[in-house]
Amino acid sequence: MDFINIQNEDFNVQQQYDALSQSNTRDGAVVLFVGRVRDFNEGEQVTEMVLEHYPGMAEKCLEDIVAKARERWDINRVRVIHRVGLLSQSDQIVLVGTSSPHRGSAFAAAEFIMDYLKTDAPFWKKEISDQGERWVEARNSDETQKKRWQ
Amino acid sequence: MDFINIQNEDFNVQQQYDALSQSNTRDGAVVLFVGRVRDFNEGEQVTEMVLEHYPGMAEKCLEDIVAKARERWDINRVRVIHRVGLLSQSDQIVLVGTSSPHRGSAFAAAEFIMDYLKTDAPFWKKEISDQGERWVEARNSDETQKKRWQ
Amino acid sequence: MNTITVKFFARLREQSGVDAMDLEIGDMTKLSELIAQLQDQHQDWTILQQKNLMAAVNHSMITDDCLLAAGDEVALFPPVTGG
Amino acid sequence: MNTITVKFFARLREQSGVDAMDLEIGDMTKLSELIAQLQDQHQDWTILQQKNLMAAVNHSMITDDCLLAAGDEVALFPPVTGG
C-alpha cells in the first residue's frame, strides 16, 4: 500500500488524498504534508530552484523510512512524492500522506517520514536568486527534529 | 487569516489546500488533516451517523482553540471545517489545515487543534448501525492526547 | 428572581425531550445548585446524574462552580464526541 | 586490484567536474582510506575536506568506517537538503 515516487512532474493534492481515502473504510484519519518553494532563504530573493537526487539510493532511502514508520505506527496507506529538476517559486516540492484508524498515528508517521527525509534522503537543493546560484546548506534544526524520534 | 466553518455540506480537499497555499510565498509547509466516518466502532456495522452541535458555542470554541494554537506556533493560515447533520460511511467529517514557514509548527498546530477539538468542542456523534442508534461514548485516549500539550 | 435559559444536547436532549427551557432562579444561585435542583426534579434524566456531565455558561466551558446571573445561557451535555 | 565506482553529487559533483569515476583499489581498502586518497589527489575539491562530508556504499548511508569490495558503488556528497 505504499506509493513512493521521485518525479519531475507536479502532483495534485486531491488525487493523492483520493488515493489515500477512496475505498478505505478502515481509516478515519488522513494526514497530508506538502512542502513548497518559499520566496526567501537567508534574505535572498529566490526565483528558481534545482533539485538534484541520487537515483536508486533516493528511492531505497524513502522506502526504508516508510518501513521504519510502519514498524512504529498503525498506518495503512502511505504516499511519498518528491520532485526533482527545475522548480519555481511556490511550486510543490514534496508530499507525504498517511492514513490510519487513529489520528495520532497518521500525524506522527507523516512527521517522522518528513523528518527523516530531510536528514537522510539524498536530495540537494540549489537556489537561483538575483544574486546567482547557491547550494542550500543543511540546517542543524533538521537534525534536532529527527533526534526527537530516537 | 482564519477560516472556521460549521456546515452541512461536504468540503473539497483541493479547494482547502489552495486556500492555504495560493498567493502564499511565505509558507513552505502545509499540513492537512481530514477525519472521516469509519465503517466500524466497537464491532457494529455503522452505516450512517448524525452529528449534532451547539450553535454559537461550537464556533466560539473552535475560534478559541485556533487562537491558542497561534499563541504557541508560527502559523499563518488556518482552516477548520466541521460538518454536522446526517453523514454516511466514508464521508468527510472534519478538516484542519495549517500553513507555516516551518513544518514542525504546521504539524504541531494542526494536531493541537484536532486534539482540543476532540475534547472541548461541543459536537456529538450518534451512530446508526444495523443494531439501531447509539450515541458515541467519549474516549479516555482523547483526554490523554490533549494532556500532552499541557 | 432572575430568568436564565438552560439548554440540553445530545443524549440529554433526547432524555429531557426539550432543547431548551427558561427557568427562574434566586440571586446568588450557583451552577452546582441549578444542576442539583434539576437532578431532584427530573430523576429520569439519568444523564444529569453522571459525574462526567459537562456544563457551559454563555458558551464557555465551566469546570468549576460559578454564580449564575439573569440572562445567562446554561448548557448541559454529555462529554463531546466530535471530530 | 578491485574496481569500484565513486559517485559525486551536488556541490562536490560541480567541484570535481565528474558525476562518477571508476577506481582500482587494493584488497582490504577502507572507506576512510579511499576518502583520504581522494583528498590527497584532489586538494581543490574542498567539499571532500569538510567534516560533514556524507558517504553511502551501495545505496546505504555509512556513518562508520567499512571495508570496500570489488563492484562497490561509493557515493560522496555534502549533507542532504531535500524536502
Side-chain angles (χ1 to χ4, degrees):
Chain A
M1 298 297 255
D2 295 342
F3 176 85
I4 294 171
N5 209 41
I6 297 171
Q7 61 189 44
N8 280 95
E9 303 74 43
D10 198 8
F11 51 82
N12 176 273
V13 169
Q14 184 73 43
Q15 276 173 15
Q16 298 308 316
Y17 171 71
D18 289 344
L20 290 164
S21 60
Q22 277 177 356
S23 307
N24 183 355
T25 56
R26 176 164 57 158
D27 293 330
V30 175
V31 169
L32 284 168
F33 171 85
V34 179
R36 301 161 64 247
V37 181
R38 291 166 61 187
D39 65 347
F40 61 89
N41 206 336
E42 295 171 25
E44 290 173 13
Q45 191 69 25
V46 175
T47 51
E48 288 185 311
M49 176 175 281
V50 179
L51 256 152
E52 176 173 336
H53 77 303
Y54 180 179
M57 180 172 168
E59 292 82 351
K60 176 181 177 292
C61 184
L62 296 179
E63 284 162 17
D64 290 349
I65 293 169
V66 171
K68 263 189 233 158
R70 285 192 175 283
E71 282 169 25
R72 294 179 63 152
W73 294 285
D74 175 20
I75 47 177
N76 286 309
R77 300 189 188 177
V78 177
R79 297 183 81 82
V80 180
I81 299 176
H82 202 302
R83 293 179 69 193
V84 290
L86 186 66
L87 300 179
S88 299
Q89 196 180 90
S90 296
D91 275 358
Q92 302 180 134
I93 304 171
V94 61
L95 175 140
V96 173
T98 53
S99 80
S100 170
H102 311 290
R103 73 180 184 284
S105 298
F107 270 115
E111 192 168 13
F112 174 95
I113 291 168
M114 272 309 301
D115 285 351
Y116 274 79
L117 185 157
K118 278 270 176 187
T119 55
D120 291 9
F123 295 89
W124 300 272
K125 285 188 188 124
K126 184 160 71 173
E127 292 178 346
I128 303 165
S129 74
D130 46 12
Q131 310 288 309
E133 296 185 352
R134 194 177 69 84
W135 287 99
V136 173
E137 298 289 337
R139 295 184 311 173
N140 290 333
S141 62
D142 286 325
E143 276 296 330
T144 313
Q145 293 267 85
K146 186 177 86 167
K147 291 219 170 67
R148 292 181 307 155
W149 304 106
Q150 289 164 353
Chain B
M1 298 294 255
D2 296 341
F3 177 84
I4 294 171
N5 209 40
I6 297 170
Q7 61 189 44
N8 279 94
E9 304 72 44
D10 198 9
F11 51 82
N12 176 274
V13 169
Q14 184 72 42
Q15 277 175 13
Q16 297 308 314
Y17 170 72
D18 289 345
L20 290 164
S21 60
Q22 277 178 356
S23 307
N24 183 355
T25 56
R26 176 164 57 158
D27 293 330
V30 175
V31 169
L32 284 169
F33 172 85
V34 179
R36 301 162 65 246
V37 180
R38 290 166 62 187
D39 67 346
F40 61 90
N41 206 336
E42 295 171 25
E44 290 173 13
Q45 189 68 27
V46 175
T47 51
E48 289 185 310
M49 176 176 279
V50 179
L51 255 153
E52 177 174 334
H53 76 302
Y54 179 0
M57 177 171 171
E59 291 83 351
K60 175 180 178 295
C61 184
L62 296 179
E63 285 163 16
D64 290 348
I65 294 169
V66 171
K68 262 188 233 160
R70 286 194 175 281
E71 282 170 25
R72 294 180 63 153
W73 294 285
D74 175 20
I75 47 176
N76 286 311
R77 299 189 189 178
V78 178
R79 297 182 80 82
V80 180
I81 300 176
H82 202 302
R83 292 179 70 194
V84 290
L86 185 66
L87 300 178
S88 299
Q89 198 179 87
S90 295
D91 275 357
Q92 301 180 137
I93 304 172
V94 61
L95 175 141
V96 172
T98 54
S99 80
S100 170
H102 312 290
R103 72 180 183 288
S105 297
F107 270 115
E111 192 168 12
F112 174 94
I113 291 168
M114 271 310 301
D115 285 352
Y116 274 79
L117 185 158
K118 278 271 178 185
T119 54
D120 291 9
F123 294 90
W124 300 271
K125 284 188 188 122
K126 185 160 69 173
E127 292 178 348
I128 303 166
S129 73
D130 46 11
Q131 311 287 310
E133 297 185 353
R134 193 177 70 84
W135 287 98
V136 172
E137 298 289 337
R139 294 184 313 172
N140 289 333
S141 62
D142 286 325
E143 276 296 330
T144 312
Q145 292 267 87
K146 185 176 87 168
K147 292 219 168 69
R148 291 182 307 156
W149 305 105
Q150 290 164 354
Chain C
M1 297 295 278
N2 306 307
T3 306
I4 62 164
T5 302
V6 184
K7 293 191 168 190
F8 303 104
F9 292 95
R11 202 185 327 211
L12 179 54
R13 177 183 50 71
E14 286 187 345
Q15 272 196 352
S16 68
V18 290
D19 291 351
M21 54 201 274
D22 285 345
L23 280 183
E24 299 294 319
I25 57 167
D27 285 340
M28 309 296 281
T29 299
K30 290 179 181 171
L31 173 64
S32 57
E33 291 166 347
L34 171 73
I35 293 171
Q37 181 192 321
L38 288 169
Q39 285 170 338
D40 275 355
Q41 292 169 351
H42 306 280
Q43 302 205 356
D44 51 327
W45 301 358
T46 56
I47 308 296
L48 274 184
Q49 322 285 338
Q50 287 185 3
K51 75 175 193 315
N52 61 8
L53 180 76
M54 295 177 87
V57 176
N58 301 328
H59 294 172
S60 288
M61 208 75 93
I62 300 296
T63 50
D64 296 317
D65 207 359
C66 70
L67 282 175
L68 300 175
D72 276 355
E73 176 173 311
V74 176
L76 301 175
F77 42 81
V80 304
T81 56
Chain D
M1 296 296 275
N2 305 307
T3 306
I4 62 163
T5 302
V6 184
K7 294 192 168 191
F8 304 104
F9 292 95
R11 201 184 329 209
L12 179 54
R13 176 182 50 72
E14 285 186 347
Q15 272 195 352
S16 69
V18 290
D19 291 350
M21 54 202 274
D22 286 345
L23 280 183
E24 299 294 320
I25 57 167
D27 286 340
M28 308 297 279
T29 299
K30 289 179 181 170
L31 173 64
S32 57
E33 291 166 348
L34 171 74
I35 294 171
Q37 180 191 321
L38 288 168
Q39 286 170 340
D40 274 356
Q41 294 169 351
H42 307 279
Q43 302 204 356
D44 51 327
W45 301 358
T46 56
I47 308 296
L48 273 184
Q49 323 284 339
Q50 287 185 4
K51 75 174 192 315
N52 60 9
L53 180 75
M54 293 176 88
V57 176
N58 300 328
H59 295 172
S60 287
M61 209 75 95
I62 300 295
T63 50
D64 295 318
D65 206 358
C66 71
L67 282 176
L68 300 175
D72 276 355
E73 177 173 311
V74 176
L76 301 174
F77 42 81
V80 303
T81 56

